[in-house]
Amino acid sequence: MVTSPIRLIAVDIDGTLLNPQFQISPADLAALQRAKTQGVEVILVTGRRHAFAMPIAKQLGFDLQLISSNGAVTRSMQGETFHRDMLPAPVCRKLCSAMKEFRGNTVITFDQESKGAIVLEHMNELNASIQKWLEKNSEFIEFVIPIENSLTKDPVQAMFCGPIERMHRGLAVLGDSGLGSEITVLRTEYLARDLSMIDVLNKDCSKGHALERWANFRGIPREQVMAIGDNHNDVEMLAFAGVPFIMGNAVEELRNNGWQVTLPNDQNGVAAAVEQVLIM
């Protein structure tokens, strides 16, 4: 029996569930485990690839679904795929052509857990921005020149990474590309690290669309869905949820929507939000 009015809690990973040391605090872990024991379903919703999100999911200590790659893939911890929303290869080719100025910032990902899951031409411009990510994913990286030659099948997404000012220029170029009706553009920014990531996915693909799809499948109305996030790519998810919470460390844009604000990720913000909806 579900004893809480909330039946589904959707939690972002980076900047939300993970603290600044990229760890789950004991308090946040305990709160999510208590939600689970009360019959509330927990789902992780992240911009990470499924494989890169799995180590975090395993720390929770219970089975759950993962919505990964900003909504492109919904898959269980056992590897059972509920839904995939791939970026058509012809659209991605047009994207690469339109964004040729940012070729050194370009990463294309594929839904596979082997070398070639992550494709780029070189690391020269990426190293300064996402060096640790590149190191952790080195076994999956393949170098292809030109990068379009990797598009023998539909990718999960294309991603452009770099300093915030440069990526704002990238957003402007994307806006003038004429691809607006064929793609979804999401961004994630970390001001303290001067890092911006532009994720380009299939049309109408987002964390929000994926969460709504899963909630509908589970027969859970949006009024009984809670979501917690901190960044621009969480907007659609938070807008769908009947009970949206933003982190105390959330980007400024999220603060203009009237959403409830919990504590920052270095002060157990997830636990503070979850405890407000659990039965004491």
Side-chain angles (χ1 to χ4, degrees):
M1 292 290 292
V2 174
T3 55
S4 168
I6 295 298
R7 294 171 57 194
L8 177 62
I9 298 176
V11 186
D12 169 54
I13 292 180
D14 293 285
T16 300
L17 180 58
L18 296 186
N19 62 25
Q21 290 72 47
F22 299 100
Q23 298 174 340
I24 304 174
S25 75
D28 288 345
L29 178 60
L32 292 177
Q33 290 177 336
R34 193 155 73 86
K36 180 68 174 178
T37 63
Q38 290 193 11
V40 181
E41 181 177 357
V42 176
I43 187 167
L44 294 183
V45 189
T46 179
R48 295 183 177 216
R49 294 184 306 114
H50 179 85
F52 201 44
M54 275 292 290
I56 308 302
K58 289 177 180 177
Q59 292 179 45
L60 297 181
F62 53 83
D63 286 339
L64 70 157
Q65 292 283 323
L66 287 87
I67 294 174
S68 58
S69 297
N70 283 315
V73 178
T74 303
R75 182 170 289 148
S76 73
M77 291 178 67
Q78 287 73 37
E80 298 168 343
T81 299
F82 170 71
H83 187 84
R84 297 196 321 160
D85 196 355
M86 301 292 97
L87 179 65
V91 174
C92 195
R93 287 193 190 93
K94 288 190 284 185
L95 174 69
C96 290
S97 177
M99 295 291 284
K100 59 186 177 183
E101 176 185 343
F102 303 91
R103 194 152 290 248
N105 305 95
T106 305
V107 178
I108 298 177
T109 64
F110 294 86
D111 189 23
Q112 62 190 64
E113 298 312 327
S114 59
K115 200 170 192 64
I118 301 170
V119 177
L120 44 140
E121 289 195 351
H122 57 79
M123 291 186 179
N124 300 351
E125 293 177 60
L126 291 167
N127 262 333
S129 300
I130 54 171
Q131 182 175 356
K132 289 183 179 179
W133 181 85
L134 292 168
E135 290 171 355
K136 288 181 178 180
N137 286 277
S138 59
E139 64 182 294
F140 301 108
I141 294 174
E142 187 171 7
F143 297 94
V144 179
I145 301 175
I147 201 168
E148 289 91 335
N149 287 353
S150 68
L151 295 169
T152 57
K153 59 183 176 181
D154 293 345
V156 175
Q157 67 175 92
M159 178 171 68
F160 303 91
C161 305
I164 291 174
E165 185 176 348
R166 178 161 172 76
M167 291 300 96
H168 282 181
R169 162 70 181 155
L171 286 169
V173 172
L174 266 175
D176 294 334
S177 69
L179 291 170
S181 63
E182 300 178 83
I183 58 175
T184 297
V185 178
L186 302 172
R187 66 184 169 116
T188 308
E189 291 184 355
Y190 298 100
L191 291 176
R193 296 158 61 189
D194 189 24
L195 171 62
S196 178
M197 293 175 284
I198 302 170
D199 295 299
V200 180
L201 302 106
N202 193 24
K203 181 185 178 183
D204 295 330
C205 178
S206 71
K207 289 184 176 184
H209 281 94
L211 180 59
E212 180 176 8
R213 186 183 298 113
W214 181 253
N216 289 341
F217 171 72
R218 298 287 285 145
I220 300 174
R222 63 185 297 267
E223 292 77 17
Q224 294 181 311
V225 177
M226 175 183 182
I228 313 172
D230 76 302
N231 223 300
H232 303 281
N233 63 334
D234 295 316
V235 168
E236 291 82 2
M237 172 178 78
L238 293 161
F240 166 73
V243 183
F245 274 87
I246 63 172
M247 300 296 291
N249 54 284
V251 296
E252 196 62 35
E253 180 185 295
L254 270 62
R255 300 176 185 275
N256 303 320
N257 297 286
W259 294 328
Q260 296 183 76
V261 182
T262 185
L263 294 171
N265 66 332
D266 61 353
Q267 297 178 37
N268 310 314
V270 167
V274 170
E275 286 164 2
Q276 293 188 47
V277 302
L278 294 184
I279 302 300
M280 302 306 291

